[in-house]
Amino acid sequence: MDLILRDARLPGDAATSVDIGIEDGKIAAIATDLAAEGETLDVAGRLVTPGFVETHIHLDKSCILDRCSDQGGDITGAIAEVARAKGSFTPEDVYARGRRTVEKCILQGTTHMRTQLEVDPVVGLRGFEGVLQLVDDYRWAIDIEICVFPQEGLLNNPGTEELMVEAMRRGARVVGGAPYTDSDPHGQIDRVFAIAREFDADIDMHLDLSNDPTTLDLDYVCELAERYGRGGRTAIGHVTKLAYAEPGTFADAARRLADSGVALTVLPSTDLFLMGRDQACGQSRGVTHAHRLLGYGVNCSLSTNNVLNPFTPFGDCSLVRMANLNANICHVGAAHDVVECFNMVTTRAARLMNIDGYGLEAGMSADLAVLDCDSPYAAVSELAPVLYAFKRGRRTMTRPAAQIHRPA
Ligand SMILES: [Zn+2]
């Protein structure tokens, strides 16, 4: 074997210690007392999990707080502030800031990422070019796929669709959207599905980001996903309107998503930061309740979204922290539900992105993280740090376990 992780605990079984043999970048065998030779790392009974999966993050506009003035905090203000900052983005600048964010993700055990990427006539393809270089340069640690989208509208912003198509030709793999900023939201959704069909690409749109659930664009997205056979390949993010929906409306939407195979990503930090600002007291959380959707059979993920920008002026890129944050916001405490928070940043997130070769079984890619705990429940409830990560069997980071220094 190229590498053997000894004395590991797997996510489904905290009681049994196993060894994981890795060869040619893949998991070759998992067994108790594995008879194998090779470089060995004793993980001392700690949790080994498939790497974390960031389904929705914005590398191109991360780390721009120092050049933004209005930090008033609502959605319109954040979009306007980033729109102003984008004018001076260069590929080199995007690369330098994106690199800082990608390296934080690697240090948190993230091995797969879908990054949202803005194009429009102001920024052109400069953001795309900076991130495309990051994709290449960090392939040794993380698989990054680009989802190109029109943050400031598509039909109202001539030239944007041509740029989206050009980005798809040059390596973007997913088509995104933000219909709530468009003069014709359904028209934008039509165009997003058309581009996705042209390039046989998955879809991942920002959707239904407000506190008014009286109309939901998700109905139209589900309708098109069914019409064009895109179930399992369409995801939507935010959908904060469902945090404000009456139980009947919520149930109808959940069944619609489940039936059409449309997955949903909750972005707890951003939604918590942006929503509820119009209320003088008892401010709402504005975070859609993922666990209730899981109960209807909808697949969900949790993700970071924005890092150190006007949409979210925080960010350590820890998906364990995001899972814990979600548990806090949504009153999640039962062990099974806490574990679902972990699944939504690992296995469920991988399923949303249709990642091949993901999982803890022989034959799967050796994309792994070792946490300083023995179970997913402990990871989320105690915010366990990541001590090692591996990409295709090669170690990509190490964080020494904390020690207490007692008096002699
Ligand atoms: Zn986003």
Side-chain angles (χ1 to χ4, degrees), residues 148-375:
V148 64
F149 86 107
Q151 174 72 77
E152 285 157 67
L154 185 61
L155 302 186
N156 53 297
N157 211 354
T160 303
E161 181 163 341
E162 289 79 359
L163 290 164
M164 287 177 69
V165 168
E166 177 67 11
M168 293 302 292
R169 283 206 189 97
R170 290 177 54 188
R173 302 233 309 258
V174 182
V175 191
Y180 49 83
T181 61
D182 207 298
S183 52
D184 177 1
H186 282 203
Q188 179 179 130
I189 296 169
D190 286 334
R191 294 310 308 150
V192 167
F193 273 82
I195 299 170
R197 291 191 337 269
E198 185 185 340
F199 287 90
D200 190 25
D202 287 6
I203 293 168
D204 198 333
M205 307 175 77
H206 297 73
L207 211 76
D208 288 329
L209 177 52
S210 91
N211 59 4
D212 175 9
T214 48
T215 61
L216 292 168
D217 284 339
L218 75 82
D219 287 326
Y220 192 56
V221 169
C222 291
E223 184 186 324
L224 294 198
E226 282 172 342
R227 186 188 304 167
Y228 297 118
R230 310 306 283 192
R233 299 187 65 186
T234 302
I236 53 179
H238 292 294
V239 199
T240 55
K241 287 182 176 186
L242 288 186
Y244 298 88
E246 295 293 329
T249 306
F250 186 96
D252 288 345
R255 279 190 283 267
R256 194 85 185 85
L257 291 166
D259 290 348
S260 57
V262 172
L264 191 147
T265 297
V266 173
L267 304 157
S269 188
T270 301
D271 295 341
L272 197 57
F273 185 71
L274 293 177
M275 304 305 293
R277 288 174 178 268
D278 53 332
Q279 297 163 278
C281 66
Q283 274 124 334
S284 57
R285 296 158 185 232
V287 177
T288 281
H289 206 298
H291 289 72
R292 288 187 194 138
L293 293 172
L294 299 183
Y296 286 88
V298 182
N299 187 34
C300 294
S301 71
L302 307 172
S303 205
T304 295
N305 196 30
N306 281 292
V307 179
L308 303 176
N309 73 17
F311 292 88
T312 318
F314 315 117
D316 57 358
C317 303
S318 166
L319 285 172
V320 172
R321 185 177 66 81
M322 212 47 64
N324 176 283
L325 180 63
N326 187 259
N328 275 277
I329 299 165
C330 292
H331 303 128
V332 166
H336 173 267
D337 290 332
V338 172
V339 171
E340 281 286 25
C341 290
F342 191 85
N343 297 340
M344 284 192 279
V345 293
T346 53
T347 49
R348 285 185 174 281
R351 200 200 311 162
L352 181 146
M353 281 178 56
N354 293 307
I355 297 173
D356 285 333
Y358 180 92
L360 261 178
E361 294 169 38
M364 297 296 174
S365 186
D367 301 333
L368 307 170
V370 180
L371 278 75
D372 197 8
C373 63
D374 64 2
S375 70

